[in-house]
Structure formats: C-alpha cells, structure tokens
Amino acid sequence: MLVVLASFTNAQSVIVTKSDIIEERNGRNYYIHTVQKGQTVYSISRAYNVTPDEIYFENPGSKDGISVNEILIIPTINKETELKKEVVATNFDFFYHVAANNETFDEISSIYIIPKKYIEKANPNLSSPLREGEYVKVPVEDAFDILDGKTPTSQYSAGNYQSPNKPKTKPSTTLIKPKSGNTSTSGNTSNNFNNAATGNTVSKPAKPKTSYRKPSKPVSETISFDPEIPVIQDYRHVVILGETTQSIAKKYDIPVDLLKAANPGLGNTVNKGDRLRVPDKTKMKKEPEEEQLKETSETLPEIQNPVNTNVDTVKLSDVTKKQETTIHIVKRKETLYSIGREYGVTVDELIKANKGLTSSIKPGQEIIVPKKKISNPYIVHKVTSNTKASKIAKLYRIPVYQIKDFNPNIGNRVYRDQEIKIPVGSMATIVPFTGLDETVKEEEEPEDLPESYRNYYQNCDFTPDYNKTYKVALLIPLSLEEADSLNREQFLLEPQPYFKPFRFIQFYEGALLALDSLSKQGIKVELYVYDVDKNITKTIKVLKQRELRSMDLIIGPFFNNSFNQVAFFAGNFNIPIVNPLSYREAVVNNYKTVIKVKPGVYSQKEMLKQYIKTHAPNCKTFLISQTSYLNADIITDINNEIKSIQKNQIKVDNNELLELSYSVAKRDSLYDDSDIPPPFQLEGTEIYPNILENSFSDSTVINNFVTRINYSVDSLYPFKNLASPLRKNLVILYGSKKSFILDVLNRLNETRDTFDIELIGMPTWERINNLNNNKMNNLNLTYFSSSFIDYELDKTQNFIDNFRSSYNTEPDAYAYSGFDITYYFINALLYLGNNFNRCLENFPMELLQGQYKFNRVGNTDNFENNYWNLLQIRQMTKIKIPDYLLQNSINENEENSFK
C-alpha cells in the first residue's frame, strides 16, 4: 500500500469548463476548446472524459506544450467508447496495435507474423505510413477465412465449445509449447510497473500445400514472405542464445529459404527470445524429381554391409567410470544426515561409499564423500514414520524454517512416505540441468520438436530447471491514475472502503509472498507488473511493451474486455495466460492458450453423483430449476446421472407405513380411531392400510424417481405433494439468481418441521452474498465452492503470520488467490518447462484454498480447473467434506462417523 500512497499528489488545478461549441470535421464531431490560464492537457482531458493521448493525437502541436487562448479540438466520443463499439461490431477476432509514427503494415506484419494482406483487409480505412497513435486491428489467424470471405472453421468459434468434463474423445498429443528464451541471471525477483495491456489469438486454418526445393545457391539475407506456406499450428520456435537461422532450419530439417519465407523480415541472424513460425514439411508437396528418386531407390537391391558383424562393440556409456570423491573430517555434533546435506548426497550414498559405515560417527573420523553434480538446490528425505518437522530439521542440523521454506505446504507434523525437500549446503555442486545423462549419447532430435516430427515421451519428466529465470507478467487493476489525482490530506482523513487502488492490492501482495517463498527455494523469477483495468485504451498500451512478447506466463487481466484483448495477444505468441477470477465458460472457448483457474460447472456433476452415491443413496430426490430452459442441458445431465445411481424402486417396512397411515388419518377430525385408516398417497404411490393390516411383517415396494420442478410454473407444489415423511428428502436447487434462491429457501423452511430436508446448492452459490445463514443451516445446506480456507492448518497460519508481518493487515480472499496462483504456475513452469502444455493435466497441487487439477478443453491448449470444495453448513459452522469421503472406496463406517 505504501507504493500507492507514495504516488499521491496534491492535484490542485484550475477548474476546466466544458465547451458548448461542437464542430464536424472529417465526419466526426469535436468540441472546440479555448485554453485558459492555468489549464493543462491533463486537466482538460479529465473535463472532457478523454485521455491526454487523444488530445495529443488530434492536436499534434500540443505535445510541445499549450498556451493561453490556443484552440484545441477534442472528440465528443472518447476512444474507449469508440473501441468498445468497434470490438462488438466487428465480425472477426482481433487485438489492437497502437502505431508508432510512420509505421507501416509491413512492419506490423513482421512483429506479429501475420500476413500483410490480412492486416490491410482488417483496416480498410487506414493506409501506410501510419500516424502515431492510430489503432490498428491485428486479426488472429482464425479470422483469415472471414477476411477472405470464406466460412470460418475454427474450433474456437462460438458454439464449438467443449467443456473439459463433457464426454469427449481422448485428445491427440498436444504440441509442446515453446517457452521464452530469455534467461536473465538475476537471482532476485524484480518488479516493474507499467501501464495497461491487451492481446488475442486463435487456431490456424488449413492452408494449401506448397512445394519446396532445397536451395542450390548461397542463401540470401531476406526473402519475400509467403503466407501460403503451411506451418505447424499453434507452435513457435523460441530462439535461444547461439542459434542462427541456418542452425534452426537444420534442426527442423527444412531449407533456410523456406524458414525465411514463413517469417517476414527474417535474415541470417536471430535474437534470443524471437518466436519463429516453423513450416510443416509433412504438408508439403514433394518435387517430381524427389518422388522419382524415392521410387528408384525402392527398386534398388539391398547392399550388404561388408563389415564383420561378429566384432564386439563397446559403448562409452557401458563403461563404469570411477567416481571422484573427497574426504570429510567429522566435526562435533555432525550426523550422517547433516554431512550428506552439506555435500548434496544422501545417507545411502555415504554408506555405499564407506564400507562398514554406521550412524555412530565420532569427531575426527574420515568419511569418503562422493563428488556428485546435482541440478536442484535440495535433496529429498523420505519420511519413514509419522513425526515432527522439527525432528527432521534436527536430524540435518538446520533450523526448521529452512525446511518450511522449501516445503511451504507442510505443517508442524510430517507423515510416513511423505517426501521432504532438504536444502543442500555450500559444498554441494549444483550445475545447470541439460536433460542429458553424463554418458556420451548419439545426437538426438531436439526435445521441443512438435508431434509432426516425432512421438512425444509417454510420461512427463518433471525435472526442474533452477538455472532459468522465468518471466511472468501480472496484469492487475491498480488504478494508479486515480491515486495520482487525489488530495492526500483529505484522503487520509476519511475512510476509503471503495478506493479502487485498494481493491486488488492484496492479490499483488499475496503474489509477492509466493515469490519470496519460491526465491528461497532457488527459483529465479522476474515479475513485470502492469496496471490494467476495464479500460481498453489503457490495456492496449501494454501491447507496445516489447518484453511482453517474450513472457513465459501472463496472469490477468481481471476484467472481461481487457482479458479479451490480452488473451488474443498471448495466443498470437503462444504464451500461457491465466484467468484468475472468471467463472464464465467462454473464457476457455474463444482463445488459444487460456488457463481458467475457477473450476467449470460441468465438473460438479461427477462430484454430485459421488456424493449422492455415498451420502444419500436412499433419499427422495428433487431437482428444482428456475425455468425449463435456463441451463437445461446440464440440468438434464444431472437428472440422468442421478437416475443412473439410484434404485428405481425401494422397499418400505409395512409397520412404518401403517403407523404413518394412522398419523395421516388423525388429521381428519371426523376420523374414528377404531376404524382402519383410509387409503393415502406416499411419494405418488397409493397405500392401502387394510392390506397392510394383513401383512404386518412384510414390506411394500414404492417407485423411486427424481422429481424435476420448474419453479416458474409449479412453484413448490410438487415437493409438498411428493416429499417423503419417512426418509430424507434431497433437494438440488440449481440457479444463480438471488431472488429465486431466497424464495425457495423461504418456502422450504416452512416445511422443515414436516419433512427431513437436505439442500444442495448449485452451481456457484459462493458468489451470492447475504443469504440467510439460519435458513441454510435449517436445511442442512451442501454447496460447491472454488475456495475453502482451513484456518486449523499450519500452512494457513504460517501464511497469515507472514502476511501480517509484511503488510500489517489481515489477508482477504484476493491475497490467498494471489499466493496460490503465483506459487502454482511458477512451479509448473519450473517442473514442466517445454512440456507445460502437454503435462499440465498431470501436475495437481494442494494449495491454501484447495487444489488445482486442470483438464484440457477438447483438443486445444486451453485448460480449466476441475476441483471444487464441497462444503456443508452444520450447526452454524462451515465445514468441508474430506475428499476421501467422496471416493468409491468409502465405507459405511466412514460415512456414519462423518455425519
């Protein structure tokens, strides 16, 4: 918060009166403003609700200053309003580029690797060279068909969304996502504040097949861009230090000219971090002579190898090298564990190197220590029995906080078979991870080649790379311009509960705590922070920042309009972009590289099914929706899932039915106790007490079905008519409108003395504020939540303590989200590397608010979290149903003990 407050200024300026004079120029309306004494471009822009850049654009001379009585023209409709209308009205997806002075379409084409002709088609009213500040639409690749007048075929088009939890065919292996080549050696996290950002992208439509021939003459510096060359979809090669155009072409076994033709402006040299399109040679037509040569070679007889095949061959990798060692002299209070930690080796390795060595060592004793190169700044200790973390720390002769820094998810106790990271000492040799064995290997295809060229590994590696510096952009609403315009003295005298710069500041603070924890583990991160809110013009400015194109990860923006632009931009450069707050399914529909943190509602179905199966298998079930058409598909799916696990009929003891028949009959004041009760209905089944009298010890079968209720038509009458007085009634209330939910809660509460009711709220009741806790408690509410903070856990208390000591305040929900998102995704970058997209589904993690378990959306590079916390309100307390109680292995004892 001090960062924001430090930027406060006493913005005392002359009041600017809005002009009444409006003139039309070039088809647009402008205010005609005459500058008065004391007025500035900034104060004038505030009065007319435009940005200073808009005034500069319309009045180029004002950049050098304005003078009294100078005439300024100011658009009557600001650029923000104009752009929002344009985004809605345009029939293809794009993101904006703000032109530099005299910039050309060719230059923009080379920046985004988009054919010039499509940029021209997307901007028919603009011409090169461009004026500084002009907004240029950059179409995404899936927009090409629309711009060509064809029918779009994108899998990201509206209506083609496939939830990760809907039934689908198993996706084919996804292309490995290239990561940024920037490897800054800074060991500390850096924070750079800039202005807003935007971006966009979609999958590539099929292109005509193009023939190619290897060049027979020296390669020219640059050649003409050929947009018809088929390239590997959703893939970019990220240039690393030392690479050249020729070496990259050789790596992919393609001609250099072909690589240049696929990348406008590409010469013989490249820069670290450049992202290049790679031609897909599997879609190329072979030249006639190549096909003829292939046919000829197939007809030639096989030449026998004249070399003597009986000679034994020996590979260097088969020879066991003598391992280098060093001698350690045992010091007082040292243990085998502390010695091994100091050198980065395990106790088992020490014992193997020292015949007869035991845990009983004495000062002055000589111990042989193998010299070992490790890629991580820690060794792994596997816990053999339940114990305290402090005892593990004592074993290795280090403070317990060092263990917790490397293992932020552990508490004061650790458990059998748990793996604990132990930080190594100064004698350990840590070397960059290369992915290769120490033995000599034959030359292999690079691991980042796409599927078109080789098969992927069947399993994910999860080997961390501690030598790379990961570049992460955080696009967060800080509203710094509002802080800059405040009167500081007046601000500090009054409470500011709705001050915009304070709204999301704790997300940033939580992210900083995550970075601090990661830094202590040896992970190097550069964090770039941009102030991005709902304002599109503010957001687009970030796209001008060149460093944004080489990020390994983008987190945010938080608002839909801005996220739309940045997501298209990120997709264009194949950068994973995290949406931290949105529940909208469309977030993983319209873009290419989006990761949605909030879980999808489709994943609730399986959890609901398992909950009913294990906790309420014999309940009478009701499914209530607001209308017959809202969420009709998913409600039908839920209905079918429940039918698949519940029995069609149940047996009720005749004794219970007979007792119920007397209770029902006594409601009639004319009933004579000596008579047999008249027939009555139970859950829609006709019950005859006279028959029950003759089969007292038997049972009666009644139909068991899910009752669907369209509340807008039937209100709660079907429930009152069919609810069971003999067994629990499970009511699933599906809806998001507060008025609807409150009305149902009120009516159900009126019946709770008659019926035993358990209510399940779906899909996202956590978003509905000020529901009546007493009524929810009366109805034994169970509901789904994306977040649950267990304050009893040690890791939660550690986070709260750190947050208090760092920021002198209590963490809110945004603080926990900032920590979880930053901690998880930087770990994913560390452990998955180039396999980020391929292996993210196999990288779950338990965090402060729950788990992250991501599923791929269809055959895309988009992911959606599918983990929900299932919460209950019991005795006015919110509790979480443990995950193990929702598994198929649940037994009756566990169920009863929980309930």
Side-chain angles (χ1 to χ4, degrees), residues 29-49:
N29 291 328
Y30 294 88
Y31 291 108
I32 307 301
H33 178 83
T34 303
V35 179
Q36 304 297 318
K37 184 179 179 179
Q39 294 180 352
T40 64
V41 171
Y42 180 78
S43 64
I44 295 170
S45 70
R46 297 273 291 183
Y48 286 91
N49 192 29

Side-chain angles (χ1 to χ4, degrees), residues 371-388:
K371 286 187 175 181
K372 178 183 176 184
K373 295 179 181 179
I374 59 176
S375 59
N376 304 325
Y378 62 82
I379 56 176
V380 176
H381 174 91
K382 190 168 184 178
V383 181
T384 56
S385 61
N386 298 352
T387 185
K388 294 181 179 180

Side-chain angles (χ1 to χ4, degrees), residues 617-621 646 650 683 702-705 724-729 755-756:
N618 298 316
C619 290
K620 170 61 182 173
T621 306
Q646 286 193 331
I650 62 168
E683 301 180 28
I702 64 173
N703 292 325
N704 186 38
F705 53 88
S724 176
L726 294 181
R727 56 178 176 149
K728 181 182 289 185
N729 296 276
F755 304 113
D756 183 8

